[in-house]
Amino acid sequence: MYFFSQCCTKDPGTITKLNNEVFLGVYPYDQVMFYQGVLCPTCVLVKPARSKHCRVCNVCVHRFDHHCVWVNNCIGAFNTKYFLLYLMTLSAMAADIAVLTIGLLLHLVLQSNLMSAAYVDEEGHQQPVGLFFYLFLTFPRIVFMLGFLMFLFLLLLGYSFFHLYLAVTNQTANEWYKRKSHGCQHCNPSPLQQQSHTSLHNFYSRGTFRNLKEILKPITKNEKKGR
Ligand SMILES: [Zn+2]
Ligand SMILES: [Zn+2]
């Protein structure tokens, strides 16, 4: 709940006239996705590298990741860490409740000796009770909740790993999507022919440890970037 509230209330990095100058000095322009001197027509401000105008919030956001409808806020430089931790704790919570529910059902099965339970059919023969069928008929809501929780857990785990991958490789979801949808044809290799596509695709990466540090402690203008 703490990480969720932080995601909802923390300023993701709104760019205003007052702080525009500061954000302009944080990241260099890669000349592939972000070009120098591009003006946001709505905010009428020069776009800093890695920023994007959010159509929902109607502001430009520093190190824009995406607009999350779940937390009703943009995910940007200053709340990415909370979003990542929120996803991870939510996955852990879903797994925890699923394990507790399985434990409860298992306890019930062992207590009632359901494994060896049988019923007599119309012809008088003893038939073994289908365990899952029995549990579903007896506790439909609990079994349905367990199935839903397992599905939710896998979904959240996948999404958590995706955002962890983005954090480790120093990409935003916006940049990842742009690279994915435009492919290499979007890369303008002529002025940057010396650089391989790999280095272009990892333009902002500074190594795993530093990339993670950047998520936890976003870069400010005065910090030495080490590049
Ligand atoms: Zn804007
Ligand atoms: Zn937004």
Side-chain angles (χ1 to χ4, degrees):
M1 284 308 289
Y2 172 75
F3 295 133
F4 176 69
S5 67
Q6 291 294 300
C7 283
C8 299
T9 55
K10 271 267 176 194
D11 173 30
T14 306
I15 301 168
T16 62
K17 276 178 190 159
L18 293 172
N19 62 22
N20 192 18
E21 200 63 41
V22 177
F23 289 134
L24 281 170
V26 175
Y27 293 113
Y29 291 91
D30 64 354
Q31 307 297 346
V32 176
M33 286 186 286
F34 306 105
Y35 295 94
Q36 204 152 10
V38 176
L39 209 69
C40 171
T42 313
C43 306
V44 203
L45 292 168
V46 178
K47 280 183 170 181
R50 310 191 82 180
S51 69
K52 191 179 184 288
H53 185 87
C54 173
R55 275 180 286 180
V56 183
C57 305
N58 204 28
V59 284
C60 273
V61 175
H62 173 52
R63 204 186 186 279
F64 178 87
D65 194 275
H66 68 289
H67 181 90
C68 179
V69 287
W70 190 255
V71 301
N72 192 30
N73 197 6
C74 266
I75 305 300
F78 303 130
N79 61 355
T80 298
K81 62 181 165 194
Y82 296 116
F83 186 68
L84 189 60
L85 289 166
Y86 170 57
L87 284 179
M88 285 173 159
T89 47
L90 204 61
S91 309
M93 196 172 79
D96 186 34
I97 302 172
V99 167
L100 282 174
T101 312
I102 291 170
L104 170 90
L105 289 174
L106 207 67
H107 182 75
L108 221 103
V109 167
L110 294 173
Q111 280 278 310
S112 322
N113 206 19
L114 273 174
M115 301 293 270
S116 53
Y119 71 94
V120 181
D121 65 12
E122 288 168 348
E123 288 160 16
H125 301 300
Q126 284 221 333
Q127 298 286 351
V129 173
L131 200 61
F132 179 77
F133 189 63
Y134 176 80
L135 284 174
F136 190 75
L137 283 181
T138 321
F139 313 102
R141 276 173 285 191
I142 294 177
V143 175
F144 180 78
M145 186 189 79
L146 180 62
F148 180 68
L149 267 171
M150 285 162 108
F151 169 73
L152 203 67
F153 168 68
L154 291 174
L155 207 72
L156 284 167
L157 195 71
Y159 199 48
S160 301
F161 273 116
F162 171 62
H163 272 276
L164 194 63
Y165 160 76
L166 292 180
V168 164
T169 53
N170 207 331
Q171 296 181 70
T172 63
N174 173 47
E175 291 158 10
W176 179 86
Y177 178 74
K178 274 185 175 175
R179 282 177 189 128
K180 196 90 181 148
S181 57
H182 294 293
C184 283
Q185 60 192 357
H186 188 67
C187 299
N188 181 11
S190 47
L192 296 156
Q193 255 166 353
Q194 288 79 15
Q195 282 184 279
S196 68
H197 274 122
T198 315
S199 67
L200 276 175
H201 288 173
N202 294 302
F203 188 81
Y204 295 107
S205 179
R206 305 185 302 154
T208 308
F209 180 71
R210 279 179 155 187
N211 291 345
L212 279 174
K213 196 179 154 211
E214 196 178 307
I215 295 289
L216 299 171
K217 191 176 174 290
I219 298 175
T220 55
K221 194 189 178 182
N222 301 325
E223 193 176 337
K224 198 168 178 277
K225 288 176 202 165
R227 272 211 284 162

